[in-house]
Amino acid sequence: MKKTILFLFAVVFLYSCTPIPQEAPNTFTDSRDGKVYKTVTIGEQVWMAENLAYLPSVVGPATESYTDPYYYVYGYDGTSVATAKATTNYQTYGVLYNWPAALSACPPGWHLPSDAEWKQLEMYLGITSAQADATGWRGTAEGGKLKEEGTTHWDSPNTGATNSSGFTALPGGYRGYDGKFYYLGIYGYWWSSTDFNTFYAWRRTLNYYFSYVYRLFYNKENGFSVRCLRD
């Protein structure tokens, strides 16, 4: 009996001294506007599981710059933040940011992921190191692991979408440097914080028809979605 008690005491002591990994909370409240975001832990990273919706100001798609920050809402052509926030596209897909805006859009404690941090996510999901460094469509099923399932938001067939990562990527389209909105329901585009040169920065793209992940640089004037990564 004494041996049993001593054994149980030893187990409890060792267990109490072993650090228990703490999962990230599954929500985060942005103190700037009170918006509550779902979050997800993928490997060693904690991501927002929704597109960022921080909107301090808004302009129509004809306004652009690769140096000054601008914020867009797909399909909205105006300057009223309240009106833009009332649209279905804002409430579903969040905000489209040009690159200067994206760099500082994430709340305190979070940041715009670098190209290397996007690669870390992709490699955790199965992309090889060589594929991660490549440009264009890469991998096999990794894009499907990121995309929201079904065709409520993605156009059919939404190939390979399982959302097994919990990332819940949505096809928010983009604001093009020609002053128009494109590809809602077909493509999702997300900025990285890594620039390529004065005029271009690295991005990621997902598509309704493929289960791959696209990597390339693009014009900083474009309006893309933002996913924030915890510091």
Side-chain angles (χ1 to χ4, degrees):
M1 183 66 176
K2 290 182 178 179
K3 290 183 178 180
T4 301
I5 293 173
L6 288 171
F7 174 77
L8 291 173
F9 175 80
V11 170
V12 171
F13 177 80
L14 289 172
Y15 182 78
S16 65
C17 293
T18 302
I20 301 173
Q22 298 297 308
E23 292 296 326
N26 59 8
T27 61
F28 169 81
T29 302
D30 189 338
S31 61
R32 300 172 298 180
D33 57 11
K35 168 74 174 173
V36 179
Y37 294 92
K38 296 176 183 178
T39 67
V40 61
T41 301
I42 307 175
E44 297 181 353
Q45 298 174 312
V46 180
W47 291 81
M48 286 187 181
E50 304 175 50
N51 288 343
L52 189 65
Y54 177 60
L55 189 66
S57 63
V58 65
V59 294
T63 302
E64 68 175 40
S65 175
Y66 67 89
T67 56
D68 299 322
Y70 285 116
Y71 310 80
Y72 311 92
V73 171
Y74 194 104
Y76 178 71
D77 188 0
T79 58
S80 169
V81 170
T83 302
K85 285 187 172 183
T87 65
T88 299
N89 285 339
Y90 169 82
Q91 295 167 11
T92 302
Y93 303 103
V95 174
L96 299 175
Y97 304 83
N98 71 353
W99 192 71
L103 285 176
S104 60
C106 292
W110 298 76
H111 64 274
L112 184 67
S114 67
D115 184 53
E117 287 171 324
W118 276 106
K119 290 179 184 179
Q120 181 180 341
L121 169 66
E122 295 163 339
M123 288 188 288
Y124 178 80
L125 296 177
I127 283 180
T128 67
S129 177
Q131 289 171 334
D133 290 336
T135 56
W137 292 108
R138 300 127 65 242
T140 53
E142 292 75 20
K145 295 176 182 179
L146 294 168
K147 291 191 294 180
E148 179 191 65
E149 290 183 271
T151 55
T152 300
H153 300 114
W154 288 95
D155 282 8
S156 181
N158 195 15
T159 302
T162 65
N163 196 32
S164 61
S165 68
F167 190 85
T168 318
L170 293 177
Y174 79 106
R175 178 264 168 199
Y177 61 87
D178 60 352
K180 298 178 182 178
F181 294 112
Y182 292 99
Y183 298 137
L184 188 75
I186 298 175
Y187 285 95
Y189 300 82
W190 293 269
W191 282 121
S192 84
S193 62
T194 307
D195 66 349
F196 179 75
N197 60 25
T198 302
F199 304 104
Y200 296 91
W202 291 96
R203 80 183 198 262
R204 293 301 187 276
T205 305
L206 298 173
N207 175 266
Y208 80 111
Y209 202 74
F210 300 119
S211 60
Y212 321 122
V213 183
Y214 193 88
R215 172 181 178 260
L216 199 61
F217 45 85
Y218 215 49
N219 303 71
K220 293 178 180 179
E221 301 101 313
N222 285 314
F224 291 161
S225 299
V226 161
R227 284 298 180 100
C228 298
L229 184 64
R230 195 172 72 175
D231 296 346

